[in-house]
Amino acid sequence: MNSLNKCCYISNKLFKYTRVPRSIHTTSCALSKSDVDVHEDKPSSASAEVKGKVKEPFIKNLFAGLFDTEMLVYPEYKTREELVSAIDRVAPIKDFFVHVNDSKAIDEEAKIPDSVLAFMRENNVFGSIISKQFQGTDLEKKEYMQLIEAVGVDSSVSNLLFNHSVITNAFLLYGNDSQKEKYLPRLGSGEWNFAYAFNEKISGIDIMDIAVTAKPMADKKWSLTGSKMWVANADRADFFLVVAKTWDHKVEDSMAAKTTFFIVDKTLNGIKVGEPLQQLGSKGISICNVTFEDTVVSEEDILGNIGDGYDIAVNSMSKGKLAKSASRLGLLKKLADMVSEYTIQTKISKLPLHKYEMCRYNLGRIMSDIYSIESLVYLIAGNQDDFDTFDSILEELAADIYSLETSFDVIQRCIDIIGPQTVLKDSPLERILRDSYSYLLHDLIPTDVKKIYVTTNGLQRAGKVAHEEIKKARNPLNFPMFTLKSFVKFDNALREDPKLTGELRQMVHPALGADADKLEHCLIRFEYIVKEMMRRWGKELLDRQYELINLSNYATSMLVMTAVLARASRSYCIGLQNADMERVLCSALCHQHHQKVKRIFDDLNDGPIETGRAVFLKIGEDAPNNKGYFFSHAVSRNY
């Protein structure tokens, strides 16, 4: 297909203006007094003025060619008193997990001590996200992230808290009034423990492909049968939240099957909890298999409605993903401190290890990766605080994906610095590295599934916005001006130095203008590649996992660039300590992600044949047929 036909599928509006999100095609992108009410006792950020408004989803709009420039205004506490209050609230928890909690003992004994759980109950940690109506503390998101970060230095406790938050979110989002009254106060106090019975052996990329069934009985009761795997905290739980396959009628038609969540009391008949499984890390929170054999539950124990299983699973787990990122942040900071101390104490040829270039480089990359995760977590959390309604599920998933993958990069750099000592049994770093990898087991949803979810939801948004444009593109002769503009945009997107509006740079400090231009470059190309993938593959795109995953990677990199730009600009404007270093670090990170998305763009735009990806797909198809590696040995000959 020639370039003219291709360009017909490119959007006619590169960055469409709406109030929220604020478009880069506005006349002036800087906040003015006419935009907000300015008071002397409030900060200059928009956060103090936007409470009560609705914020549109950032990543979904990226797929539609829209960019919310207000995301470049980094959120902050509105007053000094709020900031001090949050620090004071988190301080005793941080102090306890640094100086009192014994992570090594938890790892060796494979149990979180009652004293730790008692401390968390006394400090209302379990009720942090529960409203005061149900005896919770209902912390703001920024403050909650700081609390989770403090707890994150111990992965067993943070994984326990993550599973607790998933359960809590499920009740907050889908519980009826009586269920909330019954369970939320006891969840918040830590009196009752829940286990999330979700995973099964057959579950793969389809997270709702389950075998546990719930059959209707007389008197509005249900009978649960089947097994769940890798259920965290199962041996200490008082209740299970179980997802099962259900039908609206007695005929068990697989095509009519729905998924439903049930609240299951552990004391009911037919429940068997297996022995704790051996884990690589996070040993303080047990993982068990649980079997249900004709376990009878009442209709009152259904969470939400019949068939709500998928929505409950996705929304309850996604709502807690930002906290997962914050807990990794706490663990990575602890790891960075330990590695830094190691480079000071260790000498090679009478010089401290940190005097050597590669050590300094790896240390710098570790610190910069942690900085980017921190920037991302508190950008999202701050916007959740500032707006009553913010559909941020995709942003939380993107932060979770980025923090997990970046954690592995940090771990590898720590290994490069310390060497073989990292994996010695008595090394404190060995336990932390094991704990880091254990997040995979407690994550519940595979990373690739999360990426596909991000992209498919983004494409839905893009399809709605681009509907009229596609109709015009299919009739280019009837819409000559649209066709001409599309061709110009098509040509601009493929240039190495495309024409920029330069308006994004108006939202950041002038010293970061070039980095804002790199972000705009990424945005121009992202709009093009999304439309090109939709045009090239049509409905088949939803089955092309490679393309979906890489579109998610592209969008995540733009979100990270936005976060570090906003944070560094704020730091530089208000003169925070090390603001000069933040500025140059921001430039380095923006360059790094700019190069990354260029590679993704070229890979997707060139297609599977030109990039050689089709060859790898064919080899992957042949490997199972040959039951493994099937090439002839390197020294083989034909005789």
Side-chain angles (χ1 to χ4, degrees), residues 15 36 40 155 168 179 203 253 422 445 455 518 521 582:
F15 296 105
V36 297
E40 292 182 359
S155 68
T168 302
Q179 288 171 341
S203 297
D253 180 7
T422 310
I445 305 176
T455 300
K518 289 179 181 177
H521 184 194
E582 284 195 50

Side-chain angles (χ1 to χ4, degrees), residues 201-471:
K201 186 176 182 179
I202 65 171
S203 297
I205 197 161
D206 183 357
I207 61 174
M208 300 310 294
D209 184 13
I210 58 177
V212 171
T213 59
K215 297 181 179 180
M217 301 173 63
D219 301 325
K220 296 183 178 181
K221 295 185 182 296
W222 296 77
S223 177
L224 288 174
T225 302
S227 297
K228 292 291 183 180
M229 300 183 69
W230 314 314
V231 181
N233 204 37
D235 56 345
R236 300 184 64 166
D238 301 298
F239 297 88
F240 295 102
L241 197 56
V242 184
V243 61
K245 189 180 294 183
T246 55
W247 291 268
D248 286 337
H249 47 78
K250 293 184 179 180
V251 179
E252 297 182 6
D253 180 7
S254 61
M255 298 301 293
K258 299 180 179 180
T259 53
T260 305
F261 270 93
F262 294 86
I263 306 165
V264 182
D265 192 320
K266 192 178 180 180
T267 61
L268 293 175
N269 293 329
I271 300 177
K272 181 181 179 181
V273 179
E275 291 295 319
L277 304 173
Q278 293 295 318
Q279 302 179 65
L280 180 65
S282 296
K283 295 182 179 181
I285 177 171
S286 63
I287 300 290
C288 304
N289 295 334
V290 181
T291 301
F292 302 93
E293 296 179 2
D294 297 323
T295 301
V296 179
V297 295
S298 69
E299 193 170 76
E300 296 175 352
D301 294 321
I302 294 177
L303 184 64
N305 299 311
I306 295 175
D308 281 349
Y310 178 82
D311 290 337
I312 295 175
V314 170
N315 292 325
S316 63
M317 285 188 279
S318 298
K319 288 287 284 185
K321 289 301 182 184
L322 194 62
K324 199 75 170 177
S325 301
S327 67
R328 292 191 188 105
L329 181 60
L331 189 63
L332 291 176
K333 286 184 177 179
K334 179 179 179 180
L335 184 58
D337 291 344
M338 295 176 70
V339 172
S340 297
E341 182 64 23
Y342 176 85
T343 64
I344 296 171
Q345 300 298 330
T346 303
K347 293 187 177 182
I348 299 178
S349 300
K350 298 182 179 182
L351 284 177
L353 186 58
H354 65 83
K355 293 293 184 180
Y356 291 90
E357 184 182 44
M358 279 310 299
C359 177
R360 295 200 308 273
Y361 174 78
N362 283 321
L363 268 179
R365 290 297 299 270
I366 289 170
M367 303 304 166
S368 64
D369 284 343
I370 295 173
Y371 177 90
S372 64
I373 296 174
E374 185 178 56
S375 303
L376 190 52
V377 167
Y378 288 98
L379 174 73
I380 298 169
N383 277 281
Q384 289 173 338
D385 285 337
D386 292 341
F387 292 84
D388 281 347
T389 303
F390 177 27
D391 179 6
S392 57
I393 285 181
L394 298 193
E395 286 73 27
E396 291 204 30
L397 282 174
D400 177 49
I401 293 164
Y402 180 75
S403 66
L404 179 63
E405 295 182 338
T406 306
S407 295
F408 295 146
D409 293 338
V410 170
I411 290 169
Q412 183 58 54
R413 294 190 184 280
C414 290
I415 294 173
D416 291 341
I417 291 173
I418 298 173
Q421 300 178 60
T422 310
V423 295
L424 293 178
K425 184 65 179 176
D426 294 332
S427 169
L429 289 169
E430 182 265 347
R431 174 177 46 79
I432 294 179
L433 298 183
R434 284 192 288 104
D435 288 347
S436 299
Y437 279 99
S438 73
Y439 278 118
L440 292 171
L441 183 58
H442 291 271
D443 212 29
L444 299 177
I445 305 176
T447 300
D448 284 348
V449 174
K450 288 182 282 189
K451 291 183 179 181
I452 291 171
Y453 183 83
V454 169
T455 300
T456 52
N457 278 268
L459 291 175
Q460 288 179 4
R461 174 72 169 155
K464 291 178 182 178
V465 172
H467 178 70
E468 291 300 319
E469 297 172 8
I470 292 175
K471 286 174 61 177

Side-chain angles (χ1 to χ4, degrees), residues 549-620:
I549 288 170
N550 275 282
L551 285 174
S552 174
N553 291 338
Y554 197 132
T556 299
S557 280
M558 287 194 294
L559 179 61
V560 174
M561 292 175 73
T562 302
V564 297
L565 267 168
R567 178 181 176 181
S569 179
R570 171 184 174 272
S571 298
Y572 203 63
C573 286
I574 65 177
L576 285 183
Q577 186 179 12
N578 298 317
D580 284 330
M581 184 58 71
E582 284 195 50
R583 179 180 61 81
V584 294
L585 172 57
C586 173
S587 297
L589 287 169
C590 286
H591 176 76
Q592 174 187 332
H593 284 279
H594 183 234
Q595 294 300 311
K596 178 180 178 180
V597 300
K598 283 177 66 176
R599 291 191 294 270
I600 295 173
F601 179 88
D602 291 339
D603 184 34
L604 294 179
N605 195 45
D606 290 344
I609 295 178
E610 290 188 31
T611 60
R613 191 164 72 247
V615 176
F616 300 136
L617 290 170
K618 183 63 174 68
I619 294 172

Side-chain angles (χ1 to χ4, degrees), residues 106-262:
I106 291 176
D107 184 71
E108 292 174 348
E109 297 171 13
K111 181 182 178 181
I112 299 174
D114 292 337
S115 59
V116 175
L117 298 175
F119 172 83
M120 295 173 70
R121 287 193 290 267
E122 291 169 5
N123 285 270
N124 299 315
V125 173
F126 293 113
S128 299
I129 60 174
I130 297 175
S131 65
K132 295 178 181 179
Q133 176 187 354
F134 302 107
Q135 290 80 59
T137 54
D138 195 20
L139 298 181
E140 284 201 341
K141 291 291 182 173
K142 293 190 295 293
E143 189 173 349
Y144 181 56
M145 291 305 112
Q146 290 175 273
L147 184 150
I148 294 296
E149 187 181 331
V151 175
V153 297
D154 189 302
S155 68
S156 293
V157 180
S158 64
N159 277 319
L160 173 69
L161 201 54
F162 168 70
N163 282 277
H164 179 84
S165 70
V166 171
I167 298 291
T168 302
N169 280 318
F171 279 103
L172 287 171
L173 293 170
Y174 294 94
N176 56 40
D177 291 340
S178 62
Q179 288 171 341
K180 290 180 179 179
E181 289 285 351
K182 179 179 180 180
Y183 294 106
L184 285 177
R186 292 174 175 84
L187 277 167
S189 67
E191 177 185 348
W192 282 353
N193 294 315
F194 266 79
Y196 199 69
F198 178 80
N199 285 309
E200 295 183 14
K201 186 176 182 179
I202 65 171
S203 297
I205 197 161
D206 183 357
I207 61 174
M208 300 310 294
D209 184 13
I210 58 177
V212 171
T213 59
K215 297 181 179 180
M217 301 173 63
D219 301 325
K220 296 183 178 181
K221 295 185 182 296
W222 296 77
S223 177
L224 288 174
T225 302
S227 297
K228 292 291 183 180
M229 300 183 69
W230 314 314
V231 181
N233 204 37
D235 56 345
R236 300 184 64 166
D238 301 298
F239 297 88
F240 295 102
L241 197 56
V242 184
V243 61
K245 189 180 294 183
T246 55
W247 291 268
D248 286 337
H249 47 78
K250 293 184 179 180
V251 179
E252 297 182 6
D253 180 7
S254 61
M255 298 301 293
K258 299 180 179 180
T259 53
T260 305
F261 270 93
F262 294 86

